[in-house]
Amino acid sequence: MTHSPANDSLNPTAVRLDIPALSRSVHGKPLVYLDNAATTPRPKAVIEAMNRYEMEYPANVHRGVHTLSGEATHAYEDARRRIASFLGADSLVFTRGATEAINLVANAWGTCHLKEGDEVLISALEHHANIVPWQMLSATCGCVLKVADVDDAGELHVETVLDAISEKTRLIAMTGVSNALGTVTPIANICEAAKARGITTLVDGAQMVPHMSVDFAALGCDFFTFSGHKMYGPTGIGGLLAGKDTLDNMPPWQGGGDMIETVSFEGSTWNTVPWKFEAGTPNIGGAIGLGAAVDWLSNIGMENIAAREKNLLDNMVNRLDGIERVEIVGRPANRSGAISFLIEGMHPADVGAMLDRHGVAIRAGHHCAQPILHRMGHQSTARLAPAFFNTEDEMETTEAAIRRVIDVFG
Ligand code: PMP
């Protein structure tokens, strides 16, 4: 389905018809899917593109001389081109997702560009995927992990980041949107400040890409990482954006087929980028599915999506604020994707399980971001993560379900 680019044109009823899983019920209730920060459901266009690969040309890429392999190679490389262009980049390295992309940078870039005492600066908001790889790197190369704190509302300020920069800072690796609190960080300003100081930047874009228009070239970072399954594509596929020069100056991090130019027992030479970083048979069907996802998103329009999601988030925050015993955790001025909350006297896991009985699917736990939850004074929260296909009626159903949970629990 196609929408005109006007901001108010997004019709959730029509969009919902594109996504088969949204029409199912759970415990006899219509599904209200509010776990989009964990993963987004797949539209038919994605499922069908992957099916076509499996049914019509299930061949390996790059190596084959036969027709099916040629078709698979064309579809895989064409998906790369469309996904890169959707994100304002010339090309991309396919990975399993944001986690693998960050690990790629830590291993391939970090091991040869960082030495003992060099500082990697992250923020307090980071997902474990943008914390642990740097800790592992620090154990091998002696680099030091530093953290820019947030304020009590869960907001990251450029000034705090600037204060945390020292003459030893070599890399700033930060998220564009917090998956736990929904904070939109001033990432473009941070990248600009880093660039002016000659510091390399990595933006964890896993929670940006599904919610806003991303232009890698305009953002001005050196590395940008994302996951397909959070942007209506399949699991097991995602990518790394980086300039050709940057990638050319990094050694490969995994060895095997496809990433080489020549191999002998005496030594090997490397393929050009991006293939130098794609050892072994890639997730061909996944890449093709992700290509279909970005076509689908482009048709709907990221501006339309952002405008609609802002309305839904405001709607839900107002509803939660009106419920006694509910506390919203994190009050960022600019919110995207997620609302963390607590019900006084109840464990978030119980809240999640009880809402599930009402058909409302949410996430409860530490959201793979334990440090920010501790910073906010908690071990875990319940998280509502609406997307543009959700409706105002579903926000009302969710409020009613939360009120019911509180009544029943007492
Ligand atoms: N960064 C952020 C901000 C995320 O929300 C996630 C997924 N929750 C990741 C990184 C890791 O993504 P994946 O598990 O798809 O690699």
Side-chain angles (χ1 to χ4, degrees), residues 336-351:
S336 180
I339 310 166
S340 258
F341 73 101
L342 295 166
I343 297 179
E344 190 190 74
M346 284 188 73
H347 194 282
D350 294 331
V351 175

Side-chain angles (χ1 to χ4, degrees), residues 37 97-99 127 129 175 177 179 204 206-207 227 229-230:
T99 303
H127 186 279
T175 191
V177 174
N179 68 310
D204 174 0
Q207 299 290 347
S227 287
H229 69 99
K230 294 183 195 290

Side-chain angles (χ1 to χ4, degrees), residues 15-181:
V15 175
R16 294 177 73 84
L17 294 175
D18 284 353
I19 305 178
L22 295 180
S23 60
R24 64 164 291 178
S25 53
V26 170
H27 300 303
K29 306 269 169 45
L31 169 68
V32 177
Y33 188 78
L34 294 177
D35 195 19
N36 293 287
T39 198
T40 45
R42 265 61 80 180
K44 263 185 276 181
V46 170
I47 300 162
E48 285 166 4
M50 292 172 74
N51 272 351
R52 270 198 302 280
Y53 166 67
E54 300 296 351
M55 303 284 282
E56 295 171 24
Y57 53 100
N60 213 329
V61 289
H62 301 147
R63 295 179 271 266
V65 291
H66 59 83
T67 301
L68 268 60
S69 176
E71 288 173 7
T73 302
H74 172 76
Y76 178 71
E77 292 301 335
D78 197 52
R80 187 197 307 277
R81 185 188 56 71
R82 299 195 325 276
I83 299 160
S85 145
F86 174 75
L87 297 171
D90 294 334
S91 186
L92 70 88
V93 178
F94 279 124
T95 63
R96 281 194 296 125
T99 303
E100 191 176 63
I102 297 170
N103 277 277
L104 189 167
V105 177
N107 281 272
W109 182 88
T111 44
C112 66
H113 286 82
L114 297 180
K115 57 182 189 323
E116 183 149 6
D118 283 350
E119 291 174 0
V120 174
L121 178 59
I122 62 172
S123 86
L125 291 167
E126 302 312 316
H127 186 279
H128 298 166
N130 197 27
I131 302 173
V132 183
W134 310 117
Q135 291 173 331
M136 291 166 73
L137 181 63
S138 133
T140 55
C141 85
C143 65
V144 178
L145 189 60
K146 287 188 64 181
V147 183
D149 199 9
V150 292
D151 68 15
D152 292 343
E155 198 86 76
L156 180 68
H157 298 282
V158 179
E159 301 71 42
T160 317
V161 177
L162 295 185
D163 285 349
I165 291 175
S166 81
E167 73 283 357
K168 291 185 176 160
T169 309
R170 296 286 169 270
L171 175 71
I172 296 183
M174 289 186 186
T175 191
V177 174
S178 155
N179 68 310
L181 305 185

Side-chain angles (χ1 to χ4, degrees), residues 176-190:
V177 174
S178 155
N179 68 310
L181 305 185
T183 307
V184 178
T185 68
I187 197 68
N189 296 339
I190 293 169

